[in-house]
């Protein structure tokens, strides 16, 4: 069996056992679906977030939390934070986080680690390339999943950051293949998170703009995703390697290290001893996690330095104060992503917090201040029904895996081909004109901007109270208009008292937004609204003799060539008007 | 997506608004108002989009086709698997004989057998239970008729337990595909027939995937791979299911142990038989496998080609060597013959010369006789001897040519003086040449 080698075809759709894998730089997760619901699998140790770490002790391989504990005692033979090195050249990697574990080195064109992975005192060290390490780690993940499911897992959907290039993708697929795992598809992490929410049975498919803040251990990625009829388009992404979980750990480490030095003046700085630092780091991480759940957490390390034990506590308020700069960094990240997408916070309908660091209540709280009240902030501390942020991506991957497990590999390949995925997105909304209560003409969007075509939307619009003949005027809508309405009290920057100011300044808007978060009790607030401006008219149609209290159904079909088909009729009525606008 | 309801009312139709069919196109979408972006290929709605894009369907077409497929699937789900007619004899079965019952048939899954999924079994069980539940029988007036229901429960119990199911599958004769007979094979279809046999045997494999039998176009590697796999087949087939019942009373331990041993032996024997059966199957199959023959022929052809080439080369070399040898022999023979001829010619010449010398000597001797030994009258014997002695002496002193020359001079001469003159002249020449001493041959000079 083993000799048909590389050309081994993937398993046939019927024989697949599929899971979703989040292969993170700090932690990984595995999930499967049961009855269309995604469940995250706990490994043998009972962990659902499995640290992406491998450790070798006397020829035995450890992974996950067990391996992480070896960072203290056996850092040289412990490989951590290697995911981002896959498919990269040595000169392009950032080895900062590997300081306290096996050090990456250059071998040929790739990155490798020198590890003693065989038994015996005199055993030779072996040089493992990062792909080999990834293969071994994935094998363990798949093993854990297979054991849990009782079936050999053959295929998986794996999530990757949006800035993975083709070489990194190829390296990941090859590493998985070496672990006997077919990669059905690589999906981007933020969209996996969106899918995890959208696949909930109670979720409604609607047109919305979602900001996914994926705050991980060593990196943070923010993506602005347009969700249009259940199809997702990434409008902008921001990647940051500074504001992430480790930065919060560092704040805690510094805090407690200083406290320790104060307590034991002669003992020295525990941050200067690698072993003490590793202990501090492990404990800081668990303290951070505890602070996400409770308002108080203890911090205790046995034999931190020179045999001195150290124990202390911290409350959440103190933590939030000392970590303030880091929290603000997350705010700036999200704001810059929205700006990069050419949008305003008012355009955002949903913010999804994903990744381990997203558990921190303060981060969600800060976002609450940035975004208007109408925006849903999906994080455990702000929304009781929110899904565990650490599990989002794995769930999304598992859902995607179950969706495509019936497809042949070739089918998947064709469906994800650029010819299918790259489509025009309209920039102007298309809608109809209605009358507001005050009798003014207002724009009712039917097809929102950034919708991928072909698209079809249907709305039911009320007819005038008395019924009769109505005019359906299909127009384009310009969305880029915001209104700045200062309170009647004069505002110091006194922008204007005008009811409507077109073309609100973006920078100012962002600045104001962060003002909110900083000075929450400021009285004089600027009121900002999103309004639609009516653009050019596309078509007019008449529906005659609508019943009293009736409704008119308007369906707009935008074809791939940007031609438009408008169909309108009275709800429940027959006939109707149908017309085509050529591209 | 459910349509969104907009509460704001539409404007009333202005007075005098007219259009053909009540529709008036005014503008079009701003062309530069569309940007090319990449959709994330994720989620059910994207799959729908991909399906439409790839099959070039419009929304309504796709809706219709999907609806049809869904309807079809529901139908299939409902009837397919579990719609087998129930054998009336089977319905009469006693649940105590569960060991001999065909569990798949009881659940109506006989066309799936080992391929039936857990899901199918569960569904089939549910469906059968709904039909045969004793409460329903009781309602129909047949109380305590739960025999077939027990059969169903037993079948489900066996099939839903992976271990028991394997034990049953191991001895499930119905799922076996008999090896094709010669008659069947004669009609062709060799690959299909044997392929089915191995497909059914593959269910016992511990290792998956099992290489497929392939067809006449399979490569040598594939075929070898197939046979290697099957000759090293790792089977999970067990024969516990056929065990005889072990009495589980505590009364007779020896009896119990005896039965257990017997069962273990029987299992072992059956397993060995099964392995032998598989091996025979493979032997039969490979014996008739045209591909193997072809590969062998090809290999032989390749090998033969080499051998023939080598032989031809050897033959050619031998031929050349032979020709060379022959040529050499011929040349040697010719040379020898030539030498022989020469030798003979030499001999003849020598002989002739000898003869000539003899003759000449005779002439010399004759000449002195003709000259009557240079005396008058009858020459005394002593004189004759002396003269002949001298002649001999002269003869011995000169070589054959000189003898011939002398003989030539003497030949024909009859007069004694002339003869004597010649001899004299000769002797004087010899003396002058120092070959004779003066006075040695007195008789000839006197």
């Amino acid at each position: 069996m083993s000799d048909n080698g590389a050309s081994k075809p993937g398993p046939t759709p019927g024989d697949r056992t599929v899971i979703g894998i989040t292969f993170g730089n700090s932690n990984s997760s595995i999930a499967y679906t049961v009855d269309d619901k995604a469940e995250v699998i706990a490994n043998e140790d009972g962990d659902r977030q499995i640290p992406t770490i491998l450790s070798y002790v006397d020829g035995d391989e450890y992974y996950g939390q067990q391996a992480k504990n070896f960072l203290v005692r056996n850092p040289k033979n412990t490989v951590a934070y290697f995911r981002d090195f896959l498919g990269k050249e040595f000169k392009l990697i950032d080895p900062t986080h590997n300081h306290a574990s096996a050090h990456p080195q250059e071998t040929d064109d790739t990155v490798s680690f020198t590890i003693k992975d065989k038994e015996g005192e005199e055993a030779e060290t072996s040089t493992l390339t990062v792909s080999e390490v990834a293969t071994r780690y994935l094998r363990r993940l798949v093993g854990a999943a297979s054991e849990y499911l009782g079936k050999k897992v053959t295929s998986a959907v794996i999530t990757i950051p949006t800035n993975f290039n083709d070489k990194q993708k190829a390296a990941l697929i090859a590493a998985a293949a070496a672990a006997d795992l077919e990669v059905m598809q690589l999906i981007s992490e933020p969209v996996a998170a969106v899918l995890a929410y959208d696949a909930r049975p109670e979720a409604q498919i609607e047109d919305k703009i979602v900001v996914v803040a994926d705050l991980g251990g060593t990196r943070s990625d923010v993506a602005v995703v347009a969700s249009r009829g259940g199809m997702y388009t990434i409008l902008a992404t921001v990647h940051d390697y500074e504001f992430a979980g480790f930065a919060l750990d560092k704040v805690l480490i510094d805090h407690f290290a200083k406290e320790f030095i104060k307590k034991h003046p002669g003992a020295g700085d525990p941050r200067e001893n690698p072993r003490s630092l590793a202990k501090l780091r492990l404990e800081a991480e668990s303290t951070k996690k505890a602070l996400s759940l409770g308002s108080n957490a203890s911090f205790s390390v046995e034999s931190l330095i020179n045999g001195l034990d150290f124990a202390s506590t911290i409350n959440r308020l103190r933590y939030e104060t000392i970590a303030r700069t880091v929290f603000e960094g997350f705010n700036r990240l999200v704001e810059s992503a929205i700006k990069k997408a050419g949008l305003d916070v008012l355009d955002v309908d949903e913010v999804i917090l994903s990744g381990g660091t997203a558990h921190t209540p303060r981060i969600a709280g800060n976002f609450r201040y940035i975004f208007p009240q109408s925006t849903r902030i999906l994080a455990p501390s702000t929304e009781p029904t929110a899904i565990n942020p650490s599990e989002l991506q794995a769930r999304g991957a598992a859902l995607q895996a179950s969706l495509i497990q019936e497809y042949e590999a070739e089918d998947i390949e064709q469906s994800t081909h650029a010819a299918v995925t790259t489509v025009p997105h309209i920039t102007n909304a298309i809608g109809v004109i209605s009358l507001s209560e005050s009798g003014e003409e207002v724009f009712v969007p039917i097809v929102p901007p950034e919708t991928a075509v072909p698209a079809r939307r249907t709305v039911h619009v009320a007819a005038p109270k008395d019924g009769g003949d109505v005019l359906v005027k299909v127009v384009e809508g310009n969305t880029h208009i915001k209104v700045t309405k200062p309170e009647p009290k004069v505002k110091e920057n006194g922008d204007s008292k005008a009811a409507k100011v077109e073309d609100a300044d973006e920078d100012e808007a962002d600045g104001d937004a962060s003002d909110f978060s900083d000075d929450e009790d400021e009285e004089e607030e600027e009121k900002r609204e999103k309004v639609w401006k009516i653009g050019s008219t596309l078509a007019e149609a008449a529906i005659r003799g609508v019943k009293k209290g009736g409704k008119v159904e308007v369906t707009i079909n935008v074809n791939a060539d940007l031609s438009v088909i408008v169909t309108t009729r009275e709800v429940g009525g027959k006939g109707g008007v149908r017309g085509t606008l050529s591209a | 997506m459910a349509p969104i309801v907009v509460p704001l009312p539409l404007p009333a139709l202005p007075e005098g608004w007219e259009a053909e069919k009540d529709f008036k196109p005014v503008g079009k979408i701003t062309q530069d108002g569309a940007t090319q972006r990449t959709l994330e290929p994720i989620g059910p709605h994207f799959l729908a989009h991909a399906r439409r894009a790839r099959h070039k369907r419009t929304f309504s077409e796709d809706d219709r086709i999907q609806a049809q497929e869904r309807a079809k699937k529901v139908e299939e789900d409902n009837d397919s698997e579990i719609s087998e007619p129930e054998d009336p004899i089977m319905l009469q079965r006693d649940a105590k004989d569960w060991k001999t019952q065909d569990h798949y048939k009881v659940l109506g899954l006989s066309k799936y057998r080992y391929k039936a999924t857990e899901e199918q079994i569960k569904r089939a069980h549910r469906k059968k239970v709904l039909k045969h539940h004793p409460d329903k029988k009781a309602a129909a007036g047949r109380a305590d008729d739960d025999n077939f229901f027990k059969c169903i429960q037993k079948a489900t119990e066996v099939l839903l337990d992976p271990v028991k199911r394997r034990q049953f599958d191991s001895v499930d004769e119905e799922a076996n595909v008999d090896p094709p007979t010669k008659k069947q094979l004669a009609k062709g279809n060799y690959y299909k027939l044997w392929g089915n046999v191995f497909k059914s045997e593959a269910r016992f494999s511990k290792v998956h995937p099992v290489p497929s039998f392939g067809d006449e176009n399979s490569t040598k590697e594939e075929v070898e791979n197939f046979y290697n796999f099957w000759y090293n087949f790792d089977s999970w087939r067990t024969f516990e299911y056929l065990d005889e019942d072990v009495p589980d009373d505590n009364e007779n331990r020896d009896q119990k142990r005896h039965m257990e041993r017997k069962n273990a032996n029987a299992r072992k024997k059956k397993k060995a038989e099964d392995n032998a059966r598989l091996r025979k199957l493979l032997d039969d199959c490979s014996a008739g496998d045209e591909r193997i023959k072809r590969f062998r022929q090809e290999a032989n052809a390749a090998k033969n080609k080499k051998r023939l080439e080598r032989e031809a080369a050897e033959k050619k070399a031998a031929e050349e060597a032979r020709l060379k040898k022959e040529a050499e022999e011929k040349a040697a023979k010719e040379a020898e013959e030539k030498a022989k001829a020469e030798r003979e010619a030499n001999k003849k010449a020598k002989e002739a010369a000898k003869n000539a010398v003899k003759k000449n000597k005779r002439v010399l001797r004759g000449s002195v006789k003709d000259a009557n030994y240079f005396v008058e009258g009858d020459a005394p014997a002593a004189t004759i001897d002396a003269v002949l002695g001298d002649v001999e002496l002269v003869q011995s002193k000169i070589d054959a040519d000189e003898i011939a020359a002398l003989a030539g001079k003497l030949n024909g001469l009859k007069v004694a003086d002339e003869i004597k003159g010649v001899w004299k002249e000769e002797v004087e020449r010899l003396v002058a040449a120092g070959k004779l001493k003066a006075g040695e041959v007195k008789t000839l000079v006197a």
Side-chain angles (χ1 to χ4, degrees):
Chain A
M1 270 326 297
S2 53
D3 50 6
N4 51 4
S7 63
K8 190 165 66 178
T12 53
D15 300 337
R16 277 195 186 123
T17 304
V18 299
I19 55 168
I21 298 180
T22 297
F23 182 31
N25 207 25
S26 333
N27 288 291
S28 299
S29 288
I30 40 183
Y32 75 112
T33 46
V34 50
D35 298 336
D36 295 334
K37 262 175 65 188
E39 288 288 341
V40 175
I41 299 172
N43 73 351
E44 301 87 337
D45 306 337
D47 293 330
R48 290 194 162 77
Q49 273 68 57
I50 305 160
T52 310
I53 301 177
L54 274 181
S55 186
Y56 290 91
V57 181
D58 293 338
D60 289 333
E61 187 184 74
Y62 296 89
Y63 83 113
Q65 191 58 46
Q66 293 184 20
K68 193 169 189 172
N69 294 336
F70 279 116
L71 278 175
V72 176
R73 280 189 287 142
N74 185 25
K76 287 227 146 35
N77 295 322
T78 303
V79 191
Y81 305 113
F82 55 86
R83 196 277 312 263
D84 276 358
F85 301 161
L86 263 177
K88 274 199 176 174
E89 284 175 45
F90 184 74
K91 57 176 186 271
L92 294 176
I93 64 165
D94 168 22
T96 324
H97 300 293
N98 300 70
H99 194 68
S101 60
H103 292 199
Q105 65 205 23
E106 187 168 12
T107 313
D108 300 331
D109 305 339
T110 172
V111 182
S112 67
F113 301 90
T114 299
I115 297 293
K116 204 158 91 175
D117 63 350
K118 294 188 189 78
E119 204 172 354
E121 285 295 305
E122 307 296 313
E124 289 206 1
T125 57
S126 19
T127 303
L128 302 179
T129 62
V130 67
S131 343
E132 172 65 23
V133 175
T135 300
R136 291 187 183 187
Y137 185 74
L138 284 172
R139 200 175 283 144
R140 297 301 298 261
L141 280 188
V142 170
S146 301
E147 213 158 276
Y148 183 90
L149 297 174
K151 277 182 277 186
K152 171 95 181 65
V153 170
T154 57
S155 317
V157 168
I158 303 182
T159 63
I160 50 165
T162 49
N163 62 347
F164 250 41
N165 61 27
D166 289 345
K167 208 174 148 199
Q168 286 171 289
K169 288 179 194 170
L172 178 55
I173 292 174
D180 234 357
L181 180 71
E182 180 205 21
V183 178
M184 292 191 292
Q185 195 185 354
L186 295 175
I187 65 174
S188 57
E189 288 171 351
V191 185
V194 181
L195 182 67
Y197 271 109
D198 279 355
R200 292 193 297 182
E202 68 270 23
Q204 299 273 331
I205 296 301
E206 52 193 319
D207 294 330
K208 58 191 175 189
I209 297 282
V210 186
V211 170
V212 182
D214 177 3
L215 314 172
T218 58
R219 55 184 286 173
S220 289
D221 307 273
V222 180
V224 182
V225 181
S227 164
R228 297 287 183 241
M231 292 201 270
Y232 310 107
T233 310
I234 292 181
L235 301 178
T237 56
V238 172
H239 308 282
D240 188 275
Y241 299 91
E242 195 180 332
F243 295 110
F246 81 93
L248 293 172
D249 293 346
K250 187 154 187 314
V251 166
L252 285 172
I253 290 170
D254 287 343
H255 172 78
F256 286 113
K258 277 180 201 151
E259 204 176 309
F260 177 81
I261 294 168
K262 217 181 264 171
K263 231 177 187 173
H264 306 279
D269 189 343
R271 284 169 295 179
E272 274 159 20
N273 178 332
R275 197 154 173 172
S276 306
L277 184 61
K279 283 183 178 174
L280 276 177
R281 196 172 274 140
L282 275 182
E283 186 62 17
E285 201 182 326
S286 57
T287 304
K288 178 183 72 176
K289 284 177 181 163
L291 281 171
S292 295
L293 297 171
S295 56
N296 257 305
S298 63
F299 182 98
S300 74
V301 180
E302 273 181 27
S303 177
L304 179 56
I305 194 164
N306 299 341
L308 288 168
D309 295 351
F310 176 66
S312 178
T313 57
I314 186 169
N315 65 22
R316 194 188 275 174
L317 204 64
R318 177 112 186 96
Y319 166 57
E320 284 168 2
T321 317
I322 58 175
R324 186 187 153 105
T325 47
V326 182
F327 290 145
E328 279 170 7
F330 292 130
N331 291 354
R332 282 201 299 280
L333 270 180
V334 169
E335 280 162 359
S336 65
I338 296 171
K339 198 171 155 191
K340 202 169 161 191
L343 297 173
D344 189 90
V345 286
L346 290 169
D347 290 319
V348 178
D349 302 294
E350 223 170 74
V351 179
I352 293 177
L353 273 89
S354 154
T357 308
H359 287 278
T360 315
R362 186 71 199 172
I363 296 174
N366 283 347
F367 288 172
R368 183 73 275 168
Y369 290 121
I370 298 176
F371 292 98
Q373 281 304 309
S374 57
T375 305
R376 284 185 300 281
I377 311 278
L378 296 170
S381 58
T382 51
E383 191 96 3
T385 57
I387 302 173
N388 182 349
S390 312
E391 297 183 352
L392 277 174
Q393 296 170 0
R395 285 178 181 225
L399 289 164
Q400 178 67 9
S402 72
L403 281 175
I404 60 174
Q405 69 169 331
E406 298 297 327
Y407 288 69
E408 302 278 350
E410 197 187 335
D411 261 358
I412 299 170
E413 170 91 36
Q414 278 177 11
S415 293
T416 54
H417 191 265
V420 176
T421 57
T422 308
V423 293
H425 288 58
I426 56 170
T427 32
N428 290 330
I430 298 172
V432 292
I433 287 180
S434 283
L435 296 176
S436 69
E437 281 138 18
S438 54
E440 277 175 72
E441 285 195 339
V442 289
F443 177 80
V444 176
I446 298 176
V447 188
E450 301 301 350
T451 299
V453 296
R456 179 180 58 177
R457 295 288 184 280
T458 304
V459 292
H460 289 176
V461 195
K465 270 194 192 119
D466 305 329
D469 299 349
V470 295
L471 175 71
V472 179
K473 193 171 174 187
V474 181
V475 293
E476 282 194 321
N478 200 329
T479 63
H480 288 252
I481 306 291
K482 285 122 202 163
V483 178
T484 311
K485 264 190 195 166
E487 289 285 272
K489 264 197 269 173
V490 181
K491 201 176 182 300
E492 59 215 85
N493 63 4
D495 203 320
S496 68
K497 278 196 142 190
K500 290 184 179 181
V501 176
E502 293 175 11
D503 191 25
D505 189 354
E506 290 264 347
D507 285 349
E508 191 188 308
D510 286 336
D512 288 337
S514 46
D515 275 353
F516 291 164
S517 58
D518 295 345
D519 317 292
E520 47 210 78
D521 44 12
E522 189 181 347
E523 289 293 322
E524 294 173 31
E525 281 186 356
E526 210 179 30
K527 196 178 167 202
R528 303 171 72 249
E529 274 183 323
K530 184 170 78 168
V531 296
W532 295 91
K533 197 178 94 180
I534 298 165
S536 56
T537 308
L538 296 176
E540 288 178 349
I543 299 291
R544 296 177 193 274
V546 180
K547 277 192 230 102
K548 205 173 167 185
K551 284 199 177 93
V552 176
E553 183 187 270
V554 182
T555 302
I556 293 183
N557 250 320
V558 187
N559 293 330
D561 59 358
L562 294 178
S563 62
V564 180
I565 300 169
V566 181
T567 320
T568 76
R569 63 188 174 103
E570 190 184 344
V571 175
K574 281 181 187 154
V577 178
R578 182 186 162 93
T580 308
L581 302 171
S582 60
Chain B
M1 274 168 71
I4 299 161
V5 175
V6 182
L8 297 177
L10 289 164
L13 194 67
E15 287 291 321
W17 191 92
E18 280 292 330
E20 193 188 335
K21 286 183 179 169
D22 283 347
F23 186 83
K24 197 197 282 177
V26 180
K28 50 178 72 171
I29 296 188
T30 336
Q31 281 300 313
D32 55 349
T35 30
Q36 292 283 342
R37 288 187 193 270
T38 304
L39 283 172
E40 292 297 312
I42 301 174
H45 297 273
F46 174 80
L47 290 179
H49 163 79
R51 191 174 59 227
R52 288 190 297 263
R54 285 176 54 206
H55 298 106
K56 304 215 168 23
R57 294 181 195 159
T58 64
F59 280 96
S60 39
E61 276 169 9
D62 190 58
D63 284 351
R64 203 183 58 236
I65 291 166
Q66 287 299 306
Q68 278 171 0
E69 279 182 9
R70 264 198 300 275
K72 217 158 122 196
K73 208 173 162 197
V74 170
E75 267 170 37
E76 269 175 16
D77 274 0
N78 279 346
D79 348 299
S80 62
E81 50 230 45
I82 314 147
S83 61
E84 284 177 14
E86 286 167 340
D87 184 356
I89 298 169
M90 182 180 77
L91 292 178
Q92 301 301 317
R93 283 194 70 96
D94 195 338
K96 279 178 197 146
D97 301 334
W98 63 272
K99 274 235 164 179
T100 55
Q101 85 181 10
D102 181 346
H103 301 306
Y104 291 112
K105 203 172 162 194
V106 166
L107 291 180
L109 292 169
S110 46
K111 68 175 166 187
Y112 292 91
R113 303 222 155 255
Y114 62 94
K115 289 180 207 130
T117 62
E118 209 178 302
E119 189 58 32
Q120 280 175 324
I121 294 166
K122 279 184 188 159
R123 248 183 312 177
H125 170 241
R126 188 166 170 69
K127 202 165 174 179
K128 288 285 173 194
V129 164
L130 284 177
K131 196 172 166 190
H132 295 284
H133 199 278
D135 288 358
K136 281 200 174 161
K137 298 265 160 86
R142 280 178 291 156
D144 297 331
D145 182 7
D146 59 353
N147 230 341
F148 190 62
F149 179 73
K150 281 183 184 156
C151 292
I152 295 168
Q153 298 297 65
K154 196 72 207 178
T156 314
E157 182 198 315
V158 170
L159 295 186
L160 283 184
D161 180 332
V163 176
K164 286 187 189 162
R165 185 171 176 192
R166 277 201 163 181
Q167 291 176 358
F168 175 67
D169 281 344
S170 295
V171 297
D172 184 8
E173 295 294 331
E174 296 289 319
N176 283 352
V177 175
D178 288 329
T181 59
K182 278 189 182 141
K183 223 184 226 171
Q184 283 170 315
L185 285 174
K187 288 182 201 157
N189 268 346
Y190 171 85
Y191 298 103
K192 205 180 150 201
L193 290 169
W194 276 110
N196 287 339
V197 172
F198 286 107
K199 233 180 246 167
S200 114
E201 290 293 329
R203 69 187 192 269
F204 300 122
S205 178
K206 277 185 193 163
V207 188
H208 280 282
V210 176
S212 76
F213 188 58
D215 54 23
E216 65 269 26
N217 298 323
S218 303
T219 64
K220 189 176 177 193
E221 201 181 320
E222 281 165 353
V223 175
E224 277 174 0
N225 192 17
F226 173 83
Y227 282 107
N228 281 346
F229 179 89
W230 280 99
Y231 273 115
N232 300 315
F233 191 67
D234 194 1
S235 159
W236 51 254
R237 197 170 189 183
T238 58
F239 293 93
E240 271 117 319
Y241 200 81
L242 302 178
D243 282 356
E244 280 176 60
D245 283 333
V246 177
D248 56 352
D249 50 7
N250 299 331
E251 283 169 21
N252 196 338
R253 257 191 299 181
D254 290 339
Q255 165 78 358
K256 191 175 163 187
R257 286 187 187 151
H258 171 70
M259 287 303 288
E260 274 169 0
R261 252 200 316 277
K262 210 169 137 190
N263 277 336
N265 286 339
R267 264 184 236 161
K268 227 183 266 171
K269 197 177 152 207
K270 280 179 190 133
K271 181 85 184 166
E273 277 168 7
D274 184 51
N275 288 342
R277 180 191 62 87
L278 183 65
R279 191 152 274 272
K280 175 155 186 310
L281 210 63
L282 275 168
D283 289 343
D284 288 350
C285 177
S286 59
D289 198 335
E290 290 297 331
R291 294 173 301 184
I292 295 182
K293 277 185 204 153
R294 200 180 71 224
F295 296 139
R296 202 172 288 151
Q297 274 168 7
E298 277 166 13
N300 277 350
K303 219 162 84 189
N304 279 351
K305 203 177 151 201
K306 256 188 216 159
R307 202 195 53 189
L308 285 177
E309 268 171 11
R310 205 183 56 228
E311 277 178 2
E314 271 173 11
K315 210 171 164 190
K316 206 174 154 195
E319 182 70 21
E320 268 170 16
R322 190 180 61 84
L323 286 175
K324 203 173 153 197
K325 203 173 157 194
E326 272 177 9
E328 272 171 9
E329 275 174 3
K330 206 172 157 192
K333 208 169 163 190
E334 272 169 11
E336 198 180 316
E337 270 168 13
K338 206 173 155 191
K340 198 175 166 191
E342 252 170 38
R343 262 200 322 272
E344 265 168 24
N346 279 352
K347 206 172 164 188
K348 266 184 192 161
K350 255 188 201 162
E351 207 99 317
K354 238 185 188 166
N355 285 345
V357 170
K358 260 186 198 162
K359 204 174 149 197
N360 290 339
K361 280 184 181 165
R362 223 178 300 130
V363 170
L364 294 186
R365 273 197 308 271
S367 68
V368 284
K369 194 185 172 188
D370 285 348
N372 200 19
Y373 306 107
F374 311 123
V375 286
E376 298 296 320
D378 287 341
T383 312
I384 292 168
D385 279 347
V387 170
L388 285 176
D390 284 347
V391 168
E392 283 288 309
L393 190 63
V394 170
Q395 269 175 359
S396 69
K397 295 293 177 187
I398 58 178
D399 61 19
D401 289 342
E402 282 163 330
I403 292 175
L406 188 60
K409 281 179 195 165
L410 292 173
N411 219 2
L413 292 183
K414 296 290 181 209
V415 183
D417 286 345
E418 279 170 7
I419 291 170
K420 193 149 186 187
V422 171
W423 278 111
K424 204 174 173 181
E425 197 181 327
E426 181 65 23
V427 170
E428 276 164 6
R429 189 185 63 91
L430 287 173
V431 170
K435 283 184 184 167
L436 277 179
K437 282 174 201 156
E440 244 187 319
V441 279
K442 288 166 211 149
T443 51
L444 294 177
V445 213

